[in-house]
Amino acid sequence: MTTPSAIEAARVESGKRPQLILFTTGDAPRSRRARANLAEALRRFGQDPEMTQEIDLVQDPAQTFAYGIFATPALLRISDGEGAEVLYGDLSEPQTLERFLMAD
Amino acid sequence: MTEPDQAITKRPTGITGLDWMTHGGLPAAGGTLVLGRPASGKTVLTLQIIAQALARDEAAVFVSFEESRAQVLRDAASFSWGQRLAEHPGFELIDARPSQGAQVSGEFDLGGLLAGIEHCVQRTRAEWLILDGIDQLLYRHRDPFVAIEQVHRVSDWSEERGLTLLLTGKLDQNALAPKHLEGVEFLLPSVMLLSTTLIESRLARRFRIAKYRGSAHTADEVPMLIDTDGVHFPYTEEDSSTIRVERASQERLSTGIDRLDEVLDGGLYRASTTLISGQPGTAKTTLCGSFAAAATARGERVLYLSFDEIQAPVIRNLASVGIELGAPIEAGLLRFVTREAWSSLLETHYHALVRGIEELEPACRIIDPISALFKAAGPDDAKIAIERLLSKTRASGITTVLTSLNSDDDPGSEETLSHASTLADTWLTLGFNVVGGERNRSLSVVKSRGTAHSNQVRELILADGGLDLADVYEYGTEVLMGTARLQKENEEALNQRLRALEDTQRRQDLERRIETAEAEAARLRIELQAQQEEQRARETLSEQQQRDVVRRRQAAAPMSEETPAQGVRERSEGNHR
């Protein structure tokens, strides 16, 4: 699968530090839950939730195609050397989210 | 585009058979689920619908969850309408394949997808939305109810925006819904099922409208073909294009054989169906060639479908008996098509024949032999396919000639493999008559509707100058043909000459006898005349003698009391007594 251009651009910028992008659809219930669950998990790991980028696809639908994200909410993790990984869902399964965040 | 006067507003798909089965098209607003096993033709069907929509300048968005954009366009390029998808500005193709290795934590929905689609729909003013393989995304839901809910959401979203929505998904054998989406078929107003099966190693596709809420539709399972022009539904396309002929024609068409035309009271009725049955070698193809030559000589187009015989040898063999088809072929009046019966499914042959008719618009059609359809693979009965074929051509006014090969198991029987004999207006049987070590061809008219015809078996003669029929020679209870007929004809001719000779001789004899009799009569008349003359001479002499006696007596005898005259009178009267 061809990597969306936005992911490629983000990977260049990220350097060695993983970049997290949370894709939401405004104030939809699942998006609210994803936002909250991610913030809680990041605090637990000692990471600043403000460092996570959020893209609201309702506000900016073109980003759907730029990043190739068609199911929401979705958490995109971009890191140099690992490529891009996606976690679909409202992040309500803590263990899955933790493994995703801790993966190098 | 839509059918506002119907209870449900529809949008035509542009695929003739599909629009016929759905009575006008798909729901204009709302979802249609298209389900099928791999290679059943789901994606091709939806792409073709889009291509037809683009041809009407109706924009469309195609979201692919299984193939990349390049793969979709490459697959479409193999069809005649594929380029339209690549070039039309009203077509938007979105690669929505889930990321490889993606994981799931909790619930997700299609909100982001719908936001992106909304963006495309507004830009293109699309009226069609295809979600191809959405089950590849939704099966990742832990909870199938949530997955089904997403389908419902997409359907409602489409309906609110007046989009005609098609969703495709894979089916397991005998299932009515994709795995993990059981029950989704109850949510959408329309569900179509595509299936595949192998028949004698050949892939056969079938299509069925499992559900169409609020609309009459064809619920039967029908064959579906895919060729370079895309999807076809042969047994339904015929019905949608049928032109009904209201009156039976009174026009007679020549068979190319004058004597046969006489037997058939002028020839074959236009738009009728004629079946020619017989064993191999009985000249069925030759008879067809004669009919084709006669038709093209009238300036009519002929479609000749030959199963298992290629053009060149057929044309050559016909030329050897004076039937020339090369020129009509070159002039475009005769189209000779060869198909191998065993190489395709029954519906494929049927579709090819229908396409040929539509392209050429022939006045006459020949299928040689139609019994070959029994060798084609297919779950359908060949007899039904033949009935459809004849029904279509009868309604469209095409004069049809079919041949049928008699069963090898029953070479002497007049029954054929095809029950077209019950459907045909005229049925000619060809056979062999073996007598005295000689094999001659025979032809008899089993039936000919609307025609007074003889049921006699006649000899069919193949000569350099063409075909001819010879009247039968009945000898006792036998019908003689070939050399035996010629011998008997010669004998009869000889007997006739002998009888004529006898009559001549007898007449001459009588004439001679009359001459003789007339000569005798003349002689007798001369003799009679002579006798009469002699009698008159004797009478004259006798009178003279009497007068001499009287004179002498008067001179010698004295006078008496009687006067001399009295004495002479008395003596004379005494002489006369």
Side-chain angles (χ1 to χ4, degrees):
Chain A
M1 176 180 170
T2 304
T3 307
S5 56
I7 293 179
E8 278 298 321
R11 182 181 299 156
V12 170
E13 289 182 10
S14 71
K16 292 187 177 180
R17 183 160 174 266
Q19 182 179 3
L20 294 176
I21 304 176
L22 180 66
F23 294 88
T24 59
T25 50
D27 205 31
R30 294 188 180 97
S31 293
R32 288 204 304 270
R33 287 200 295 272
R35 220 176 271 123
N37 290 331
L38 180 59
E40 170 66 23
L42 288 174
R43 275 194 289 275
R44 243 195 342 269
F45 294 141
Q47 294 183 22
D48 183 1
E50 298 301 322
M51 298 306 294
T52 303
Q53 182 184 358
E54 181 174 332
I55 296 177
D56 183 350
L57 295 180
V58 174
Q59 296 297 322
D60 192 0
Q63 300 301 316
T64 303
F65 308 107
Y67 285 94
I69 299 296
F70 300 100
T72 48
L75 181 63
L76 179 67
R77 181 170 179 273
I78 303 170
S79 59
D80 189 36
E82 292 288 330
E85 294 173 48
V86 178
L87 182 65
Y88 293 116
D90 59 7
L91 311 182
S92 57
E93 296 174 8
Q95 290 178 340
T96 309
L97 177 57
E98 182 177 323
R99 279 198 301 273
F100 183 80
L101 292 174
M102 296 304 294
D104 289 331
Chain B
M1 181 183 72
T2 59
E3 300 286 347
D5 56 341
Q6 294 180 357
I8 178 173
T9 303
K10 299 180 182 180
R11 195 167 265 142
T13 65
I15 299 176
T16 308
L18 182 54
D19 287 340
W20 183 83
M21 287 189 286
T22 56
H23 290 229
L26 301 179
T32 295
L33 193 58
V34 180
L35 302 174
R37 297 189 65 199
S40 58
K42 305 182 296 298
T43 303
V44 174
L45 179 64
T46 55
L47 287 175
Q48 185 173 340
I49 291 173
I50 287 181
Q52 294 293 334
L54 294 174
R56 300 189 300 269
D57 284 327
E58 295 172 8
V61 176
F62 186 97
V63 183
S64 173
F65 294 93
E66 291 182 341
E67 292 185 320
S68 68
R69 176 185 171 84
Q71 285 173 328
V72 172
L73 290 177
R74 188 171 57 240
D75 293 343
S78 61
F79 300 99
S80 59
W81 36 261
Q83 198 61 26
R84 196 180 303 153
L85 298 180
E87 296 173 349
H88 200 289
F91 179 58
E92 195 83 31
L93 201 164
I94 301 171
D95 181 353
R97 291 175 297 165
S99 299
Q100 290 179 3
Q103 301 173 63
V104 176
S105 171
E107 296 180 355
F108 62 88
D109 56 47
L110 301 180
L113 173 67
L114 293 177
I117 293 175
E118 177 92 63
H119 183 68
C120 291
V121 167
Q122 287 179 0
R123 186 170 65 236
T124 60
R125 298 176 191 267
E127 298 173 62
W128 294 82
L129 173 61
I130 315 293
L131 302 181
D132 184 44
I134 194 171
D135 55 313
Q136 294 302 301
L137 174 64
L138 296 180
Y139 87 91
R140 294 166 187 263
H141 267 294
R142 301 271 193 268
D143 187 348
F145 291 106
V146 175
I148 293 175
E149 181 199 32
Q150 299 308 305
V151 175
H152 201 180
R153 179 182 178 183
V154 171
S155 179
D156 289 345
W157 183 89
S158 301
E159 190 167 349
E160 289 167 6
R161 287 154 179 79
L163 287 169
T164 302
L165 170 68
L166 280 86
L167 304 102
T168 72
K170 285 193 180 54
L171 279 185
D172 287 335
Q173 185 76 17
N174 298 323
L176 287 179
K179 199 179 290 187
H180 201 68
L181 293 177
E182 291 83 357
V184 69
E185 68 273 19
F186 295 103
L187 295 177
L188 301 177
S190 174
V191 179
M192 301 182 181
L193 302 178
L194 283 67
S195 61
T196 57
T197 184
L198 280 179
I199 301 172
E200 298 178 24
S201 305
R202 304 200 183 283
L203 183 69
R205 293 186 173 89
R206 292 292 180 266
F207 175 91
R208 183 168 71 91
I209 300 176
K211 172 184 171 186
Y212 198 152
R213 195 186 299 149
S215 170
H217 59 279
T218 299
D220 300 335
E221 185 177 77
V222 299
M224 185 176 100
L225 301 177
I226 298 180
D227 62 15
T228 54
D229 290 327
V231 172
H232 305 278
F233 301 96
Y235 293 162
T236 59
E237 289 177 1
E238 56 150 86
D239 296 326
S240 62
S241 63
T242 296
I243 301 169
R244 294 288 164 190
V245 175
E246 298 299 332
R247 271 193 187 173
S249 174
Q250 298 297 319
E251 182 184 1
R252 295 277 191 175
L253 305 181
S254 172
T255 62
I257 307 168
D258 292 341
R259 191 72 186 93
L260 180 57
D261 291 343
E262 288 177 19
V263 172
L264 295 175
D265 205 17
L268 306 175
Y269 276 122
R270 184 175 291 282
S272 68
T273 299
T274 298
L275 176 67
I276 304 171
S277 65
Q279 303 168 45
T282 49
K284 298 183 295 299
T285 297
T286 310
L287 218 54
C288 290
S290 175
F291 177 74
T296 54
R298 294 190 298 268
E300 296 178 352
R301 287 188 296 275
V302 178
L303 177 64
Y304 194 125
L305 175 61
S306 172
F307 280 109
D308 306 328
E309 292 284 347
I310 59 177
Q311 176 176 312
V314 171
I315 302 304
R316 176 200 65 202
N317 296 341
L318 290 173
S320 70
V321 291
I323 299 173
E324 298 294 337
L325 294 185
I329 290 175
E330 287 182 15
L333 286 175
L334 173 63
R335 180 178 297 181
F336 195 98
V337 178
T338 300
R339 296 188 65 85
E340 294 169 328
W342 54 268
S343 67
S344 301
L345 295 171
L346 193 60
E347 55 259 30
T348 306
H349 290 307
Y350 176 89
H351 178 68
L353 183 57
V354 170
R355 285 285 87 84
I357 291 173
E358 290 178 355
E359 289 170 6
L360 186 64
E361 294 184 342
C364 304
R365 177 187 62 173
I366 297 170
I367 305 176
D368 179 27
I370 200 165
S371 50
L373 288 177
F374 286 87
K375 292 193 289 185
D380 300 318
D381 192 340
K383 293 181 182 178
I384 296 176
I386 291 170
E387 279 198 41
R388 291 176 186 270
L389 211 56
L390 297 184
S391 174
K392 176 177 176 61
T393 54
R394 189 188 305 274
S396 58
I398 298 175
T399 308
T400 300
V401 174
L402 314 169
T403 69
S404 181
L405 196 57
N406 277 6
S407 168
D408 290 339
D409 295 329
D410 191 11
S413 171
E414 290 186 351
E415 288 185 349
T416 65
L417 291 172
S418 167
H419 88 309
S421 58
T422 62
L423 303 173
D425 301 296
T426 298
W427 182 10
L428 310 176
T429 64
L430 306 182
F432 285 116
N433 182 281
V434 182
V435 174
E438 191 177 83
R439 182 186 293 265
N440 296 291
R441 294 183 179 86
S442 66
L443 179 149
S444 68
V445 181
V446 178
K447 72 171 184 180
S448 187
R449 292 175 183 151
T451 301
H453 65 88
S454 165
N455 61 358
Q456 271 193 331
V457 176
R458 291 174 171 78
E459 183 178 352
L460 183 64
I461 300 172
L462 271 66
D464 292 344
L467 288 169
D468 196 7
L469 276 188
D471 285 334
V472 297
Y473 193 96
E474 294 179 30
Y475 184 69
T477 60
E478 287 187 63
V479 171
L480 302 182
M481 297 183 182
T483 305
R485 175 180 58 81
L486 288 174
Q487 283 180 342
K488 282 300 175 184
E489 287 179 346
N490 289 338
E491 284 180 16
E492 181 64 24
L494 181 62
N495 290 337
Q496 284 183 351
R497 284 199 296 274
L498 289 175
R499 283 195 292 273
L501 188 60
E502 285 178 6
D503 290 340
T504 302
Q505 288 179 338
R506 189 170 174 213
R507 186 185 70 252
Q508 290 174 347
D509 181 57
L510 287 173
E511 288 173 352
R512 278 195 297 276
R513 289 170 60 187
I514 291 172
E515 284 178 12
T516 303
E518 288 177 346
E520 180 67 11
R523 188 187 65 74
L524 291 173
R525 279 194 290 276
I526 293 172
E527 187 176 327
L528 175 64
Q529 184 178 3
Q531 189 270 336
Q532 289 174 343
E533 287 176 354
E534 183 182 342
Q535 181 181 351
R536 281 195 294 274
R538 281 199 310 272
E539 289 175 353
T540 301
L541 182 61
S542 174
E543 288 176 0
Q544 180 66 37
Q545 287 176 348
Q546 287 174 1
R547 281 196 293 274
D548 288 343
V549 170
V550 168
R551 222 179 8 258
R552 281 196 298 274
R553 285 181 183 167
Q554 284 177 349
M559 293 295 287
S560 61
E561 290 182 0
E562 65 184 19
T563 64
Q566 286 177 339
V568 171
R569 252 193 326 271
E570 285 175 1
R571 278 192 295 279
S572 175
E573 286 172 359
N575 288 340
H576 283 295
R577 291 191 196 104

